[in-house]
Amino acid sequence: DSGVTQTPKHLITATGQRVTLRCSPRSGDLSVYWYQQSLDQGLQFLIQYYNGEERAKGNILERFSAQQFPDLHSELNLSSLELGDSALYFCASSVFIGNEQFFGPGTRLTVL
Amino acid sequence: GNSVTQMEGPVTLSEEAFLTINCTYTATGYPSLFWYVQYPGEGLQLLLKATKADDKGSNKGFEATYRKETTSFHLEKGSVQVSDSAVYFCALAVQGGSEKLVFGKGTKLTVNP
């Protein structure tokens, strides 16, 4: 158990819908990262937050957004969902930027 | 840009066989290098890391040496066990930036008894 929690574990929804994925980092970790794992693209970095502020963006679609709240938990919002958005979404956290990242168990999103 | 190339799988070995999974990288700056392991149905776990040239990371019998001259970080284990069956990812993070991880495509290892 890494100490990073993600909810829900599984999510099945339809095209065009909007979903929210939640991540609670390890206690004391200030940095949160979101990654997408899909069969065709592999593991890709989406976005990073540090102590509530957006720090870096990767290959994140405009339909996706995220935020980190004062209690340091983070949410990834995916809207206007398409079949190709079906993937495993991982959250990772680290104490500061540059420290080891600890990964959560992931949320498996299926878009039908 | 930064990228990681690792050998395509799947790799199937018998128990106690020697394992090598090749990984090479391209990076601007001075990357830290990592091997992560993903067991079925689970998230990623850090297996080992190396932060500078010639460093050797090791854990649970796995080893990898940071070779700057060949831009490589090959994973090795002398004697694999059935419990090592998993997907292995090589990754890098460039220091001084966001430290986001750039992953290779992963190599699935199956160890048969």
Side-chain angles (χ1 to χ4, degrees):
Chain A
D1 185 351
S2 67
V4 179
T5 60
Q6 290 187 247
T7 56
K9 195 166 186 177
H10 301 278
L11 199 48
I12 301 174
T13 188
T15 54
Q17 296 298 304
R18 173 189 169 94
V19 297
T20 297
L21 282 53
R22 182 187 170 106
C23 167
S24 293
R26 293 186 321 154
S27 177
D29 283 1
L30 299 176
S31 193
V32 169
Y33 302 77
W34 285 97
Y35 294 87
Q36 179 194 59
Q37 185 179 30
S38 62
L39 280 174
D40 52 344
Q41 298 290 330
L43 261 165
Q44 290 200 91
F45 167 73
L46 293 178
I47 196 163
Q48 180 206 2
Y49 279 82
Y50 178 75
N51 203 21
E53 299 290 326
E54 183 184 300
R55 173 79 180 190
K57 262 185 173 178
N59 298 323
I60 187 166
L61 300 170
E62 283 191 16
R63 301 183 284 107
F64 296 2
S65 64
Q67 54 185 326
Q68 186 179 26
F69 294 86
D71 67 353
L72 300 177
H73 90 272
S74 178
E75 292 181 356
L76 179 66
N77 300 296
L78 315 177
S79 61
S80 303
L81 285 168
E82 302 175 359
L83 296 177
D85 297 328
S86 295
L88 255 175
Y89 291 84
F90 287 109
C91 166
S93 73
S94 64
V95 176
F96 300 113
I97 297 169
N99 293 90
E100 176 183 342
Q101 293 181 33
F102 292 85
F103 281 76
T107 293
R108 181 172 293 281
L109 173 67
T110 302
V111 182
L112 301 175
Chain B
N2 302 321
S3 66
V4 174
T5 302
Q6 64 182 100
M7 63 185 284
E8 298 282 334
V11 174
T12 302
L13 296 173
S14 297
E15 207 164 23
E16 299 183 3
F18 184 85
L19 169 71
T20 300
I21 302 178
N22 291 336
C23 171
T24 57
Y25 68 89
T26 302
T28 54
Y30 300 96
S32 295
L33 302 174
F34 307 84
W35 278 99
Y36 278 82
V37 58
Q38 185 177 29
Y39 297 102
E42 297 184 14
L44 283 82
Q45 300 174 28
L46 179 65
L47 182 59
L48 53 85
K49 67 178 182 182
T51 57
K52 62 183 188 296
D54 299 325
D55 268 3
K56 178 187 280 189
S58 60
N59 185 25
K60 299 181 182 179
F62 290 90
E63 292 183 340
T65 301
Y66 189 144
R67 301 285 188 201
K68 191 175 177 184
E69 63 276 12
T70 54
T71 61
S72 64
F73 193 56
H74 305 320
L75 182 68
E76 296 182 337
K77 187 174 185 183
S79 176
V80 293
Q81 305 301 312
V82 172
S83 57
D84 294 327
S85 298
V87 181
Y88 292 81
F89 293 90
C90 185
L92 68 81
V94 176
Q95 298 166 33
S98 72
E99 306 291 336
K100 66 181 185 185
L101 290 165
V102 176
F103 288 93
K105 291 194 179 295
T107 302
K108 183 175 181 180
L109 170 66
T110 301
V111 181
N112 295 318

